[in-house]
DNA sequence: TATCTTTCATAAGGCCACCTTATGGATCAT
DNA sequence: ATGATCCATAAGGTGGCCTTATGAAAGATA
């Protein structure tokens, strides 16, 4: 019931196909002696001769001839399966990322990635769950955190810096924001965010009196950014996420003072897969384009 | 293009089928740790996760799920091929034998073998060529020779003894054969056969004057036996080959004196296949029935 | 006929791939 | 809270498998 050793079957298949041990050895990248050894092993295992040893050649026995086509069929199936798998997996890159990063940084730049790698399709999985490549199907992940993770290659993308931002309209409503104190005149989105205290401390203001609804917790810089863009209040945001809005004047960053969180954003992927082409492609592209961004 | 290690593929197939490393390990007769090791190996080789490690269970990834059916198909083909091979080879015993033995001893007794082993079909190859299992397809061989052959299990069946024989009619034509000298009155089949001199020496006659045509060389005891049965002359034959003709009175062995050749008849088969069931069956049957024969 | 070439078999020897044992972590069940 | 189940991982030993080297057989060539 049990199959003979697969290595021996493999050698037999090649030898039967070539009708020649030496050629089979070449195909398999081994020596002729190894082929001879494996065939003999298989013959003893199945209890029947598979080749006749004729002078300067071998010929399949009746039994061997009956066996060989099935072996070739089976290996053809295996080869085909792995080939199609390779094709399909080589062509799809699955990225798991936190929603903020997806919406504010990644999605706007994916067009550039497609231009560089037209044959690679990208599949995005946007989730807050901490990436765990052993439990989720993904090639690379983008996560925030303080430390490196064991078993993962971690590239630091940037620190989670933060500074107040608001819409030009909102700023104009109080005649412009010139000093940190001006911010206190305006409604604060998510005043419970600890970043506010840290930032006001940096500009010399202790215990700032923040106006705004404490219950507003958008929980996500992206959503907070939308609210800020809509002029609903002042947000404390990470500048790199709103690069284009700042350039286009849709958002204002009134002060150069930024707070620095211990958290950073990381590109991560399993160490074991560091040399998979699509992963290298994405890493190279990403690190290149992160560098372009002025933090 | 190259396939991943086959052992790993095999383990993956079983694990995918069971959806459980532990069960797969049991099926394959190995430990759970070994399964884990092989799966990991395969994943690194193909550059993609094949299983998701969920709490207390594993689940195929998309890629794994696409791969698994082909793996099962391929192994099913292998299993089926070896199974049918086994069935067909187990049921056919190929015997290569010298023609004399086939005609005089083996064929008349094959019915008995079929009675003991109804599921075994026998294929006879009758040839004078020295048996060489590496060049001919055969399970067992019967050959005459003096020595044992390396790599073969050799069972001595009997010595090639010889003694004059003739038909009752021919004996009667000279009033019966009572002394060795009487034989010299009759035509000798193949008087050039060296056995004649040896036998006459045994009975004290040096340089016997043999009558008969020196050109008559039937070359084969079976054919010589037919000629003797037809009353065409006296032959020097091996008694065991003509057991039944002697018992039924179709042939007469006038003297108990037999010459003994250094040659013997042997049952041989490759040492490596000594435990193949059909070979053991034939060997046991043959040695049992050789023992029955009075030499 | 002699020499060269090709092809497979075999012996010896070394190494690494693979397996086992042992242990730990995570989660579910009771 | 305890036990059971399932998988991952580390450590360690060994035997399977491969290589090298050589020989035998016989076709090819001259």
């Amino acid at each position: 019931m049990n199959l003979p050793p697969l290595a021996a079957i493999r050698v037999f298949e090649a030898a039967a196909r070539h009708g020649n041990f030496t050629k089979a050895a070449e195909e398999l990248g081994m020596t002729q002696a190894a082929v001879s050894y494996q065939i003999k092993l298989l013959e003893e295992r199945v209890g029947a001769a598979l080749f006749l040893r004729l002078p300067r050649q071998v010929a399949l026995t009746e039994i061997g001839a009956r066996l060989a086509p099935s072996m070739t069929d089976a290996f053809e199936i295996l080869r085909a399966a792995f080939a199609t798998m390779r094709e399909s997996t080589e062509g799809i890159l699955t990225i798991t990322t936190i929603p903020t990063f997806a919406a504010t940084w990644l999605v706007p730049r994916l067009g550039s990635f497609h231009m560089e790698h037209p044959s690679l399709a990208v599949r995005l999985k946007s989730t807050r769950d901490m990436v765990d490549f052993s439990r989720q199907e993904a090639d690379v992940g983008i996560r925030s955190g303080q430390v490196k993770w064991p078993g993962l290659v971690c590239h630091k993308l940037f620190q989670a810096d933060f500074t107040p931002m608001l819409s030009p309209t909102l700023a104009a409503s109080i005649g412009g924001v010139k000093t940190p104190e001006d911010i206190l005149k305006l409604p604060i989105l998510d005043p419970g965010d600890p970043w506010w205290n840290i930032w006001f401390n940096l500009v010399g203001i202790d215990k700032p009196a923040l106006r705004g609804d404490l219950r507003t917790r958008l929980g996500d810089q992206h959503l907070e950014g939308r609210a800020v863009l809509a002029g609903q209040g002042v947000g404390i945001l990470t500048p790199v996420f709103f690069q284009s809005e700042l350039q286009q004047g849709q958002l204002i960053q009134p002060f150069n003072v930024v707070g620095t969180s211990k958290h950073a954003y990381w590109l991560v992927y399993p160490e074991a897969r560091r040399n998979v082409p699509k992963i290298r492609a994405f890493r190279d592209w990403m690190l290149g384009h992160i560098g372009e961004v002025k933090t």
Side-chain angles (χ1 to χ4, degrees), chain A:
Chain A
M1 189 50 77
N2 266 347
L3 284 175
L6 289 167
I9 297 179
R10 180 159 165 65
V11 170
F12 169 70
E13 192 270 337
R17 198 153 25 77
H18 286 103
N20 182 312
F21 287 8
T22 306
K23 297 243 179 65
E26 279 168 27
E27 174 182 318
L28 297 170
M30 60 204 309
T31 58
Q32 169 268 323
V35 171
S36 182
Y37 169 85
Q38 292 286 359
I39 298 286
K40 186 173 195 177
L41 204 73
L42 184 60
E43 287 178 323
E44 289 184 5
R45 176 62 177 270
V46 304
L50 300 172
F51 284 98
L52 295 177
R53 273 64 170 192
L54 306 178
R56 300 194 55 189
Q57 62 175 326
V58 289
L60 285 167
T61 62
E62 210 178 306
I63 294 168
R66 229 175 312 153
L67 218 42
S70 297
M71 303 298 105
T72 300
D73 286 352
F75 281 103
E76 210 43 63
I77 288 177
L78 294 181
R79 271 188 276 267
F82 280 102
T84 62
M85 184 217 72
R86 191 152 302 154
E87 276 174 32
S88 71
T89 61
E90 277 176 355
I92 301 175
L93 178 77
T94 302
I95 307 169
T96 169
T97 169
I98 47 183
T100 298
F101 190 86
T104 60
W105 196 96
L106 187 57
V107 169
R109 288 167 176 81
L110 270 187
S112 150
F113 183 70
H114 279 141
M115 297 282 284
E116 281 188 29
H117 301 281
S119 63
L120 271 179
V122 168
R123 194 192 299 179
L124 264 188
K125 292 190 173 180
S126 179
T127 165
R128 278 197 172 88
D129 299 341
M130 178 61 74
V131 63
D132 182 343
F133 291 102
S134 72
R135 306 195 182 191
Q136 298 166 243
E137 301 190 43
D139 297 310
V140 301
I142 287 154
R143 286 295 175 268
S144 72
Q146 302 186 45
V147 293
K148 300 202 170 190
W149 293 271
L152 298 181
V153 178
C154 304
H155 301 279
K156 188 189 268 190
L157 299 175
F158 38 69
Q159 289 295 134
D161 294 336
F162 48 88
T163 189
M165 294 197 196
L166 70 168
S167 72
T169 321
L170 189 64
S173 71
I174 59 165
V177 174
K178 278 138 195 152
T179 66
E181 282 81 359
D182 290 339
I183 290 174
L184 300 175
K185 302 173 188 163
L186 294 166
I188 302 296
L189 292 166
D190 194 0
D193 189 328
W195 281 359
W196 280 117
N197 273 329
I198 297 168
W199 187 83
F200 273 110
N201 286 345
L202 283 175
V203 295
I205 298 172
D206 206 29
K207 305 218 172 162
L210 298 172
R211 301 173 50 202
D213 190 346
L214 266 170
R215 291 168 307 176
T216 307
R217 305 228 44 175
L218 298 172
D220 183 312
Q221 282 213 49
H222 172 53
L223 296 179
E224 193 168 332
R226 294 302 112 187
V228 172
L229 277 167
Q232 292 175 13
V234 189
I236 187 150
L237 300 172
T238 301
V240 286
F241 286 155
F242 300 94
Q243 205 82 25
S244 66
E245 286 85 353
L246 288 168
Q247 276 173 3
Q248 292 166 29
Q250 298 171 278
L251 279 185
I252 292 176
Q253 175 186 338
F255 310 102
N256 282 328
V257 177
V258 296
T260 294
S261 159
K262 285 173 190 157
H263 281 249
Y265 289 87
W266 302 83
L267 167 65
V268 299
Y269 46 84
E271 269 171 10
R273 304 189 64 208
R274 67 155 63 86
N275 288 319
V276 174
K278 62 181 177 182
I279 293 181
R280 301 178 63 149
F282 185 75
R283 179 200 60 194
D284 293 344
W285 171 81
M286 183 145 213
L287 297 183
H289 287 260
I290 285 289
E292 288 175 2
V293 172
K294 190 183 65 180
T295 51

